Amino acid sequence: MKLEWWQRAVIYQIYPRSFQDSDGDGIGDLRGITSRLPYLVELGIDAIWLSPIFSSPMNDFGYDISDYTAIDPIFGSLSDLDQLLAAAHDLGLKVILDLVPNHTSDQHAWFKQSRSSRVNQKRDWYIWRDPSADGGVPNNWQSEFGGPAWEFDQLTGQYYYHAFLPSQPDLNWRNVHVREAIYDVMRYWLRRGVDGFRIDVIWHLIKDDQFRDNPPNPDFGPGRPPHEAVIPLYTTDRPEIHDVISEMRRVVDPFPGRLLIGEIYLPIERLVAYYGHDLSGVHLPFNFALLNTPWDAEHIARLIDTYEAAIPPGGWPNWVLGNHDRPRVATRVGEDQAPLAATLLLTLRGTPTIYYGEELGMQQVPIGAEDIQDPFERNVPGLGVGRDGCRTPMQWDASRNAGFTSGEPWLPVSLSFRDTNVESAQRDPGALLQLYRALIRLRRSTSALVFGNYRPISIAKDILVYAREYAGERVVVALNFGSEAILATLWPYASAGGRILLSSRLDRRGEMIDQHVSLRGHEALVIELGLETASSRS
Ligand code: GLC
Ligand code: MG
């Protein structure tokens, strides 16, 4: 079985502002990342994805780009990126950049031209509409960061559309020149040697050409962010999106071995459409389902089954536990369950993505009012939507600012950094970091964990058991979602016993088991069964 590199890979997301500062300005940068590559090699990951590093006024911390082919000086220079690419490639690591094609910054030259007059050549590069008959907004479309998605521009007397901040105007993807301009950006980075893109809010690119009102959301209520008052029927996931994405694929395909990942928050049945007709879509539509599914055996089992069944033939799965927009997994599932979550992520079928610091068990950091940076939190306060708490500096050691910066960090360092940091985890044989390393090593040396199919074995109250099978090799994963010790049965799937390859507690390795295995509270086990024989198949 031949797989592409990204099918075997473990991807690691770096939020560049928070990984490693090299120049004392309190903000992480490219040289900082380069200096930490050996750590990532030791961890065993295969590819890094960098959140945006391009010129930006930083209203949305780089997701508001003013020049797609320039590096923001906060992060360094083009030659710093070239050095990062070369160093990473020397170490066998791939580098994936963030592509943000849905919107630019209002400081981008394209938007400055577009807003300058109704007859400007680039007017149609953005989405301009006349006021409605009563002089107000053109329709009821809502910004994800609060308020109407339309901003009135005095100079030309029209509104422009912004799915996010007013300073992030949406590009008009129905305009062929816009598409060509972004494809040129893609080619520019691909020629420079980047190994692929994670494409920001890709399901947003095309909006309804009739600008119909979004329907009200019957489930909307107090405590929900205001944009959820309407269902984004006419603003996202439009049918025409798939033609655009296959066009993007045709830009990338001439460059061998490059990867497209799509950021898509949709239910599974809609999500899998982004593999595209005949797999002409993105290679990996990000699967965020674990971020929202209740953390228990039954819900997770059902989710895996649903996802596995929905993936089109030839489509490759992927799994995510956290990112720079969502609360940290160790806080969400609890410290006790974090090792189980790691085991799940790294033994499911498909490409896993790790969010920096997850491997240390980094927690969501409470952010005081005076430290808030996230524009979403600023616009929509009090609902707990803030994303700063999952973006705090990487915890490298027990020294000042956790070794992240010699200056003042742009977000507070977690108070837990003296206990939770890379240096101490490297010395602690029981640390979560050691489990991540062991799991990644095990993936590499166990074909069934990479190539194997997924077979559900059993679910009981707190126990989920599944197998991965490849060419007669059988690996069983047993997960205890509860805090009590529990007995899992592998019978009749395992007619003979097996051997423990790994416990989430990093002991019990080599222990022989029969068809029943006891799990301690919160424990996850990876078990190797004897080679499959005809009689062992039930
Ligand atoms: C994506 C990014 C998020 C950003 C938004 C607007 O969801 O992950 O951080 O705020 O797009 O660009
Ligand atoms: Mg810096």
Side-chain angles (χ1 to χ4, degrees):
M1 189 167 175
K2 163 109 180 66
L3 292 184
E4 302 287 343
W5 67 265
W6 48 266
Q7 295 175 297
R8 301 160 170 269
V10 176
I11 299 173
Y12 186 95
Q13 179 189 357
I14 291 177
Y15 195 68
R17 292 181 73 86
S18 300
F19 200 58
Q20 177 66 63
D21 180 24
S22 74
D23 59 2
D25 67 352
I27 301 176
D29 44 50
L30 293 173
R31 285 179 185 220
I33 295 170
T34 305
S35 73
R36 293 298 190 178
L37 292 178
Y39 163 74
L40 297 174
V41 171
E42 220 170 65
L43 178 58
I45 57 103
D46 304 274
I48 54 176
W49 147 38
L50 308 181
S51 282
I53 51 172
F54 315 105
S55 288
S56 165
M58 302 288 166
N59 292 342
D60 192 19
F61 298 109
Y63 285 97
D64 49 325
I65 295 173
S66 53
D67 185 344
Y68 284 102
T69 53
I71 304 296
D72 195 281
I74 284 183
F75 296 119
S77 64
L78 202 50
S79 100
D80 291 332
L81 179 69
D82 286 339
Q83 279 171 42
L84 168 55
L85 277 171
H89 288 160
D90 279 349
L91 293 167
L93 299 176
K94 308 279 187 187
V95 180
I96 298 162
L97 295 187
D98 215 307
L99 181 74
V100 188
N102 180 69
H103 45 270
T104 67
S105 160
D106 63 352
Q107 299 307 304
H108 197 294
W110 299 343
F111 188 69
K112 288 185 178 170
Q113 281 175 262
S114 184
R115 84 185 328 176
S116 67
S117 103
R118 288 196 188 204
V119 295
N120 185 276
Q121 254 193 39
K122 291 206 164 49
R123 183 64 170 184
D124 185 52
W125 281 40
Y126 293 82
I127 300 170
W128 292 98
R129 299 291 285 171
D130 284 332
S132 64
D134 67 5
V137 291
N139 64 21
N140 74 351
W141 294 358
Q142 296 294 305
S143 156
E144 303 247 326
F145 288 159
W150 296 101
E151 183 77 3
F152 187 67
D153 206 43
Q154 209 69 49
L155 181 68
T156 56
Q158 283 190 312
Y159 285 88
Y160 65 85
Y161 176 73
H162 57 90
F164 297 93
L165 296 173
S167 59
Q168 292 171 295
D170 279 46
L171 284 163
N172 174 15
W173 272 80
R174 293 179 187 275
N175 182 312
V176 60
H177 303 292
V178 166
R179 302 213 293 265
E180 276 310 323
I182 295 289
Y183 302 156
D184 282 344
V185 169
M186 294 170 75
R187 289 188 198 97
Y188 174 84
W189 292 116
L190 291 169
R191 289 195 188 107
R192 244 186 150 88
V194 315
D195 299 290
F197 300 102
R198 171 269 190 190
I199 306 172
D200 192 61
V201 295
I202 195 168
W203 85 114
H204 273 257
L205 294 188
I206 296 281
K207 294 73 158 142
D208 182 38
D209 54 358
Q210 296 167 55
F211 295 89
R212 284 169 281 191
D213 270 348
N214 276 326
N217 177 1
D219 298 330
F220 184 66
R224 310 267 299 260
H227 71 276
E228 292 184 8
V230 292
I231 295 171
L233 179 66
Y234 293 114
T235 39
T236 60
D237 195 30
R238 300 304 301 160
E240 303 96 313
I241 184 64
H242 298 291
D243 294 332
V244 170
I245 298 176
S246 60
E247 218 172 68
M248 283 183 164
R249 257 301 281 280
R250 290 199 290 277
V251 173
V252 173
D253 278 344
F255 298 83
R258 311 302 166 97
L259 169 65
L260 289 184
I261 308 174
E263 187 207 18
I264 302 150
Y265 285 94
L266 285 175
I268 285 173
E269 71 275 10
R270 304 291 311 157
L271 173 70
V272 294
Y274 287 75
Y275 285 103
H277 183 64
D278 286 336
L279 301 182
S280 62
V282 292
H283 301 98
L284 299 176
F286 253 149
N287 167 17
F288 296 131
L290 283 175
L291 299 174
N292 306 321
T293 303
W295 198 258
D296 62 58
E298 217 169 292
H299 281 94
I300 303 257
R302 204 178 313 138
L303 156 65
I304 303 167
D305 290 344
T306 307
Y307 182 59
E308 282 279 347
I311 294 170
W316 188 256
N318 76 90
W319 296 94
V320 175
L321 284 176
N323 61 35
H324 64 292
D325 295 323
R326 293 297 158 121
R328 287 222 174 242
V329 61
T331 306
R332 199 156 42 84
V333 305
E335 198 179 343
D336 290 336
Q337 281 285 306
L340 178 149
T343 309
L344 177 72
L345 176 75
L346 291 160
T347 59
L348 282 173
R349 191 173 78 89
T351 303
T353 299
I354 297 170
Y355 180 52
Y356 85 96
E358 230 162 66
E359 74 277 21
L360 302 175
M362 269 176 69
Q363 298 272 348
Q364 192 73 3
V365 176
I367 304 292
E370 64 291 352
D371 288 327
I372 293 171
Q373 301 283 338
D374 181 13
F376 189 14
E377 174 70 19
R378 287 195 170 153
N379 291 356
V380 184
L383 299 180
V385 298
R387 302 170 296 174
D388 295 322
C390 67
R391 298 174 174 180
T392 60
M394 178 68 171
Q395 294 158 212
W396 294 105
D397 58 41
S399 72
R400 190 171 162 268
N401 295 326
F404 164 69
T405 182
S406 59
E408 277 313 306
W410 77 286
L411 275 176
V413 174
S414 166
L415 294 176
S416 77
F417 79 94
R418 285 209 173 75
D419 300 315
T420 305
N421 64 65
V422 169
E423 201 183 69
S424 72
Q426 279 167 335
R427 281 185 277 107
D428 173 4
L432 185 61
L433 176 64
Q434 307 289 351
L435 175 63
Y436 269 87
R437 282 189 191 159
L439 282 163
I440 295 171
R441 260 200 314 271
L442 194 60
R443 272 179 81 87
R444 275 190 201 290
S445 59
T446 313
S447 308
L449 288 178
V450 176
F451 301 96
N453 64 347
Y454 171 86
R455 181 195 290 260
I457 304 294
S458 68
I459 348 165
K461 192 172 146 287
D462 282 328
I463 287 265
L464 167 59
V465 183
Y466 55 83
R468 304 287 313 280
E469 309 169 320
Y470 180 70
E473 187 183 56
R474 294 184 304 160
V475 171
V476 168
V477 178
L479 307 170
N480 183 359
F481 286 80
S483 55
E484 306 287 315
I486 202 165
L487 199 64
T489 176
L490 313 186
W491 191 86
Y493 179 69
S495 56
R499 191 172 59 98
I500 295 179
L501 292 172
L502 191 66
S503 157
S504 56
R505 299 247 204 121
L506 291 156
D507 49 9
R508 300 183 73 178
R509 186 164 171 213
E511 192 180 308
M512 302 301 293
I513 55 146
D514 57 19
Q515 295 112 317
H516 307 282
V517 59
S518 65
L519 283 92
R520 293 165 287 182
H522 305 295
E523 187 172 25
L525 292 177
V526 185
I527 299 159
E528 182 182 46
L529 297 187
L531 278 190
E532 192 171 21
T533 61
S535 67
S536 66
R537 290 295 293 269
S538 52

